[in-house]
Amino acid sequence: MKIAFFSAHKYDRSSFEIVKGDATDLEFTFLEPTLNEKTAPLAAGHEGVCIFVNDDASAKALEILKQQGVKFIALRCAGYNNVDLNKAKELGLVVVSVPAYSPDAVAEFAVGMILTLSRKYHKAYPRVRDGNFLLDGLLGKNIKGKTVGLIGTGRIGLCAGKILAHGFGATVIAYDPYPAKDAAQYGITYVQELDELLARSDIISIHCPLLESTKHIINEQTIAKMKQGVILVNTSRGGLIDTAALIKGLKEGKFGAVGMDVYEKESDYFFQDSSDKVIQDDQLSRLLSFHTVFISGHQAFFTEEALHGIAETTLGNLRALSKGEECKNIVKG
């Protein structure tokens, strides 16, 4: 099977080629452009395409892929909100994903972001590099004894909860329409309503998928129900937060700090070097201007272990499909 990788970076090539080894059943073509209706023709002659979080597998792009002979769409990530699943089904395209590769990677990053915001590591580092050893403006807060609210308790949310509850001594509460049966052993207690979590939490960390039901789950109304000075962290999907409402809350001083590894319009900038350009996205520029906001470039998943797991599962998915075998990671929508 020939597979075209869109949004391919050096680390993608390395991890997939290492896992593939000397096997000859799969042939890779690594492409730097993201997938969209303009770049879809690059998949000509390939049975499968492998895409990432910011590739655009909308209806038009899928139609073009089908015309090029593509049969399989392999997501090298857990989320699939960037794929028109109804159109894929109509066209007979099989979509597979990587539902779990290294939940610890994202969970640890989320906790690290909470620590950074609580203890202001990101402010201390450049200051000391410049020879300034004053502590003014670096006063932090303990995590121990604080109430941390988790929105979503899939594998990543459970891992984050365990670290925060058992490692830091935080009181961890969570909201999820589908509670995990073993959440208590992770030190997590569920609340019945999201409003209760918003009202009680000193720190809120988002760990849910981006669906129609969760889009802009953080909005002007939900922000109003949060504690004054709350810390908000999002390492899941940018579209979970209404950026305009977030900016309004920041301007009004609602948040003690905000950490974002994702942004709802990130596809124009993330995974690219724009250091010599003017950022045209006014909302992103505004967020970067707040001293209480810490933004990273969709880095939470990025560990050696996670990349290896992604490659293993993705290639396993594609091999099963090529042989006509059952694949447990088919996305049905």
Side-chain angles (χ1 to χ4, degrees):
M1 181 191 292
K2 294 183 69 176
I3 307 152
F5 285 71
F6 284 86
S7 301
H9 294 267
K10 182 179 179 180
Y11 49 82
D12 295 308
R13 180 189 294 269
S14 176
S15 60
F16 275 86
E17 288 185 338
I18 288 171
V19 171
K20 175 177 172 287
D22 297 327
T24 58
D25 57 332
L26 300 174
E27 183 179 337
F28 302 155
T29 302
F30 293 98
L31 305 168
E32 290 186 12
T34 57
L35 173 67
N36 53 51
E37 60 184 81
K38 293 181 179 179
T39 60
L42 294 173
H46 296 80
E47 290 181 76
V49 297
C50 186
I51 63 175
F52 198 47
V53 292
N54 289 325
D55 287 301
D56 178 14
S58 55
K60 184 61 177 177
L62 293 177
E63 288 176 354
I64 296 171
L65 290 177
K66 179 70 174 180
Q67 292 167 9
Q68 308 306 314
V70 171
K71 300 176 182 177
F72 309 115
I73 312 291
L75 288 147
R76 54 185 189 273
C77 55
Y80 47 83
N81 55 282
N82 55 333
V83 181
D84 187 329
L85 294 177
N86 291 329
K87 190 65 178 181
K89 183 177 181 181
E90 177 188 319
L91 295 170
L93 297 170
V94 180
V95 181
V96 293
S97 70
V98 184
Y101 37 91
S102 179
D104 301 280
V106 182
E108 289 173 7
F109 192 91
V111 174
M113 190 165 265
I114 290 170
L115 271 172
T116 297
L117 296 171
S118 299
R119 300 304 305 270
K120 300 181 173 60
Y121 298 154
H122 58 313
K123 294 183 179 181
Y125 177 76
R127 181 186 292 191
V128 170
R129 295 274 293 182
D130 287 338
N132 181 352
F133 297 91
L134 289 174
L135 298 182
D136 297 339
L138 300 180
L139 183 64
K141 294 181 179 180
N142 292 353
I143 294 176
K144 183 177 181 179
K146 298 296 186 296
T147 298
V148 181
L150 306 176
I151 301 177
T153 51
R155 293 179 179 90
I156 296 170
L158 289 175
C159 284
K162 182 179 180 180
I163 295 169
L164 290 161
H166 296 331
F168 287 88
T171 298
V172 181
I173 60 176
Y175 172 76
D176 195 314
Y178 307 98
K181 294 179 181 179
D182 56 348
Q185 73 183 50
Y186 290 87
I188 299 169
T189 302
Y190 283 105
V191 295
Q192 294 298 313
E193 301 292 338
L194 177 59
D195 284 0
E196 181 182 349
L197 181 144
L198 299 173
R200 288 177 54 189
S201 299
D202 302 299
I203 301 164
I204 296 173
S205 190
I206 309 174
H207 299 285
C208 58
L210 178 58
L211 308 168
E212 284 299 320
S213 59
T214 60
K215 183 176 181 180
H216 288 178
I217 193 169
I218 303 300
N219 53 54
E220 192 167 349
Q221 289 72 41
T222 52
I223 289 172
K225 296 171 182 176
M226 297 178 188
K227 282 186 176 182
Q228 193 71 20
V230 65
I231 291 176
L232 175 66
V233 167
N234 184 13
T235 53
S236 294
R237 286 291 183 267
L240 297 168
I241 296 179
D242 180 340
T243 307
L246 178 66
I247 291 171
K248 182 175 184 290
L250 284 162
K251 290 170 67 176
E252 293 173 351
K254 181 71 173 184
F255 298 99
V258 173
M260 302 170 63
D261 187 51
V262 289
Y263 169 61
E264 64 177 328
K265 300 173 186 175
E266 69 180 54
S267 59
D268 290 337
Y269 292 98
F270 283 28
F271 305 110
Q272 303 174 52
D273 182 2
S274 298
S275 58
D276 60 347
K277 302 174 184 176
V278 175
I279 293 179
Q280 299 297 322
D281 185 328
D282 290 343
Q283 288 188 324
L284 179 57
S285 294
R286 191 70 180 95
L287 286 172
L288 291 169
S289 73
F290 289 104
H291 73 277
T292 51
V293 174
F294 174 43
I295 298 178
S296 53
H298 211 127
Q299 183 187 341
F301 80 99
F302 198 53
T303 66
E304 294 176 4
E305 295 83 357
L307 288 179
H308 186 83
I310 289 169
E312 278 194 323
T313 302
T314 302
L315 296 188
N317 289 342
L318 289 166
R319 285 191 168 111
L321 295 174
S322 68
K323 296 174 182 178
E325 298 173 351
E326 180 182 359
C327 180
K328 63 180 180 179
N329 295 323
I330 290 178
V331 179
K332 298 178 180 178

